[in-house]
Amino acid sequence: MISLILDAPENVAAFQAMGEITKEDFDLVVTPEVKKKIEKFNELNYLMLLDTDINHFTAGAWFEDVLLGLKNLTQWNRAAIVTDSNGIQNFTEIFSGLMPGEFKAFPKENLYNALYWCHNGNEVDK
């Protein structure tokens, strides 16, 4: 299931993934929110908090995620993936070099910092 993170900054499409993730999660939650943000801000600042193992994404969910990226290729501004998985963090950093915009991985303990970075491109001073 994917749900909105309701206390995210207004210009950030922020989601939390828990349990099994399906194509319907993208159709009903992610895609409408992404469209709304792009229409309002003409760019996409995106955050996904992964509170599930990546193997809980169904094939349809993976396909929808790829389509989301391709459909909105020119609007990507910043995207944060928040996870404690080193493999996903490393993949996100590599993927960043292949896509327009900035992609960055954050550990779960830094969710607030990830939201702040998505909002304005800066990190919270430590």
Side-chain angles (χ1 to χ4, degrees):
M1 159 176 130
I2 295 179
S3 59
L4 289 171
I5 297 176
L6 299 176
D7 58 349
E10 185 184 10
N11 70 328
V12 178
F15 308 95
Q16 180 177 19
M18 300 173 291
E20 184 175 86
I21 310 303
T22 66
K23 176 185 181 307
E24 288 75 25
D25 291 316
F26 280 87
D27 291 344
L28 299 174
V29 179
V30 177
T31 301
E33 184 70 6
V34 164
K35 284 181 180 178
K36 186 169 77 172
K37 298 298 182 185
I38 290 173
E39 286 173 7
K40 185 167 186 174
F41 298 101
N42 202 32
E43 66 182 13
L44 180 57
N45 296 309
Y46 178 93
L47 180 137
M48 179 64 76
L49 168 60
L50 292 174
D51 272 337
T52 190
D53 289 332
I54 206 72
N55 61 357
H56 289 144
F57 278 68
T58 67
W62 276 115
F63 185 68
E64 284 301 307
D65 193 27
V66 169
L67 283 179
L68 172 70
L70 294 176
K71 286 181 200 172
N72 301 297
L73 195 59
T74 60
Q75 277 89 18
W76 283 100
N77 187 39
R78 284 183 289 278
I81 305 300
V82 182
T83 180
D84 287 338
S85 166
N86 289 330
I88 295 171
Q89 289 176 2
N90 291 336
F91 177 79
T92 301
E93 299 299 326
I94 292 167
F95 189 70
S96 179
L98 304 174
M99 289 286 289
E102 298 176 76
F103 284 69
K104 193 166 187 169
F106 292 84
K108 287 182 188 178
E109 68 186 29
N110 290 342
L111 174 60
Y112 175 77
N113 194 22
L115 285 165
Y116 189 78
W117 177 80
C118 280
H119 171 62
N120 63 23
N122 298 311
E123 293 191 46
V124 177
D125 291 332
K126 296 184 180 185

